[in-house]
Amino acid sequence: MKKIFKAHPLMIFEFLKPTLLVLFFPLIKGLVQYFTERNLEGVVGLFVIVVCAILTVAVLRWRSYKLICNERDQVITIKYGVLFKRVAKIDVYKLSSVQTTQNPIDFLCRAVTYKINTEAGNHNRTDFEFKLSVKNSKAVSAMLYGKGQPKAVKYSALKVAILAATTSSAFTGMLVAAPLINRAGNLLGIGLSDMLLNEINNISGKIETYFPPIVNTVTLVILIAYFISFVYSFFKYINFKLFLEDKKLEVRSGIIVRTRTSFRKSAINNIKVEQTLLMRLLKRYALKVSVGGYGDSKSESEVIIPLGANKEIKNKLSKYFPFFVPTEKGIKPAQTRLTQSRYLFLPAIYLLATILLSVWFALRFGDLTRFVFFLTFVVCVTIFCYAYMGLFEFYKSKISFGDNIFARSNRGLRTYELYCPKENVGEIRIIRFLPDLWYKTCRVRVLVRSERADNIRVRHLDYDTVKREVYKCFQIE
């Protein structure tokens, strides 16, 4: 049985967005003509012609979009294009994910943005994206994944808030806030960013500390950016629900922009268990899955368990994804003082260099002593965190080869576990530097097969043992 679904009329406005710049040309012509000749003759007609042309093209493009679902053959067909007709046929089992998002405007118009992804297609871009009515989107999803009654697992707002607090960063906050401030300033015709910075300077100038005023300003900017990142993450994951079926997962979250993502378990490339530095203080973890072809970056991570203790994460992993659980024993770095010193060698060098540089700068620039002290304090804290993660890597890192590959290490200031079937491994790199040749060790990097591969590195492993285990698993030398 075939069913044809047409795009929602709201898609017309989506097509109009990229062409709105064209409307500025008759507007500029009108302003110039008005100030030079004091009349608008011919401008209104030109403006109307341009608007009609753009609107006509947008309507034709909207009318050309059709989604045809063949339930019997398990094939979907997507047709679109005005002058050049394009047809895409996709086997349902080749889909990696289907994602729907609904912003406030979509909600008022009873529409959703429907995204269909495969592991093929353009890089950094969703394969197919269009507007559907809510009714049609539910019907399409039912035909693609069935009409089962999945069990819902809900997570409280408190857990979502802790996830947002422990994964947010000032850098993310700046990335979110900067475009919004610039756009708002351009719309209002004022230097909004300069006004905000002046206000921050005024506030920080009233705070009396040992450090110079610029330190207070930078600290205040970082705190504000972190708060923005926290709010963004909180509203992104609030109302988090996980729906489980035998072969499918569905994740729903969001309150302002609602997101609903469905994918088959067979589309999962690998599983990640992550722990940020703040999560480590709370002894909590987050479980994510990487789905090839999902999202605008073509290989993104979807949170499955936003927050949980180690025992809870391991139990849920075994329950939801038993086919990812490793069975082989792992290879660990040799637990000796020599190996431990290798993990702490670079932090020690960085610390010594920082102290020497800070002393030189303090003696060379006496007026900046307080500022140099502040920078030295920040860098030293970062180095101690780096050394702490090095100790974690020494005691906890490991890798195992078998039907499922498991690796545990750290990436920056995050601990990281990766679970992956050996069929999904793209590369295994065995890297040896001069010290590795001397100590008969190596570094192993596992890259998952995907367009933007997840990867993990485990250092200072016995070279002969790694070669033997890789040969047993992949029959390669």
Side-chain angles (χ1 to χ4, degrees), residues 92-290:
V92 171
Y93 293 99
K94 298 294 184 181
L95 296 176
S96 60
S97 69
V98 172
Q99 186 180 53
T100 62
T101 58
Q102 187 181 53
N103 58 37
I105 296 176
D106 293 334
F107 177 76
L108 293 174
C109 298
R110 299 293 296 162
V112 297
T113 301
Y114 206 83
K115 300 179 182 181
I116 295 177
N117 291 298
T118 66
E119 289 200 32
N122 296 324
H123 189 54
N124 291 335
R125 186 178 175 185
T126 300
D127 292 339
F128 301 98
E129 180 178 342
F130 41 87
K131 296 283 186 182
L132 286 178
S133 66
V134 173
K135 180 181 178 181
N136 285 347
S137 73
K138 291 180 178 179
V140 173
S141 296
M143 294 185 73
L144 295 179
Y145 292 113
K147 300 179 180 180
Q149 295 294 328
K151 178 183 177 183
V153 180
K154 300 180 181 179
Y155 290 91
S156 65
L158 177 61
K159 285 192 173 183
V160 173
I162 296 174
L163 172 70
T166 53
T167 57
S168 298
S169 68
F171 180 72
T172 305
M174 291 177 185
L175 290 179
V176 172
L180 296 177
I181 293 173
N182 289 332
R183 288 178 184 177
N186 292 334
L187 289 173
L188 297 174
I190 57 176
L192 189 58
S193 57
D194 293 335
M195 292 174 58
L196 290 174
L197 188 58
N198 290 334
E199 189 63 27
I200 291 172
N201 283 329
N202 293 333
I203 295 173
S204 61
K206 298 176 182 179
I207 303 174
E208 295 183 1
T209 63
Y210 170 78
F211 300 110
I214 188 173
V215 173
N216 299 333
T217 302
V218 171
T219 304
L220 194 57
V221 168
I222 291 174
L223 290 175
I224 293 173
Y226 174 82
F227 177 75
I228 292 171
S229 177
F230 167 77
V231 172
Y232 173 78
S233 298
F234 180 75
F235 281 105
K236 178 181 178 181
Y237 291 113
I238 191 65
N239 198 28
F240 188 96
K241 295 178 183 177
L242 173 65
F243 293 84
L244 296 164
E245 293 185 29
D246 292 337
K247 298 182 179 180
K248 188 195 85 167
L249 286 176
E250 184 176 301
V251 177
R252 300 179 189 177
S253 63
I255 188 169
I256 297 176
V257 177
R258 301 177 183 178
T259 304
R260 176 178 175 178
T261 305
S262 303
F263 49 86
R264 299 180 186 277
K265 290 183 178 180
S266 58
I268 298 173
N269 280 329
N270 59 276
I271 295 173
K272 300 181 291 184
V273 178
E274 294 185 357
Q275 185 185 50
T276 65
L277 200 59
L278 289 176
M279 279 183 172
R280 190 157 183 79
L281 295 176
L282 300 173
K283 297 183 179 180
R284 292 295 182 267
Y285 300 80
L287 189 146
K288 302 179 180 180
V289 297
S290 289

Side-chain angles (χ1 to χ4, degrees), residues 323-342:
F323 44 89
F324 276 88
V325 177
T327 55
E328 303 293 329
K329 291 184 178 180
I331 309 170
K332 299 183 66 175
Q335 300 296 295
T336 63
R337 287 189 177 276
L338 176 62
T339 306
Q340 185 183 44
S341 65
R342 295 183 67 188

Side-chain angles (χ1 to χ4, degrees), residues 405-472:
I405 306 299
F406 168 76
R408 182 194 296 128
S409 186
N410 68 300
R411 298 178 69 177
L413 297 180
R414 295 187 178 209
T415 66
Y416 189 76
E417 293 181 4
L418 184 140
Y419 300 80
C420 176
K422 71 176 184 180
E423 295 81 9
N424 289 351
V425 173
E427 290 182 37
I428 292 184
R429 298 176 183 173
I430 300 177
I431 305 165
R432 304 186 79 190
F433 296 106
L434 288 177
D436 294 310
L437 295 174
W438 178 263
Y439 293 112
K440 297 181 180 180
T441 58
C442 64
R443 304 163 190 236
V444 180
R445 184 179 292 275
V446 178
L447 290 89
V448 180
R449 182 197 65 200
S450 63
E451 293 174 60
R452 285 185 63 184
D454 283 319
N455 64 87
I456 188 169
R457 178 202 63 181
V458 184
R459 297 188 292 167
H460 307 323
L461 301 175
D462 182 73
Y463 178 61
D464 292 332
T465 305
V466 169
K467 280 183 60 179
R468 183 172 63 251
E469 292 299 319
V470 170
Y471 179 77
K472 284 171 57 180

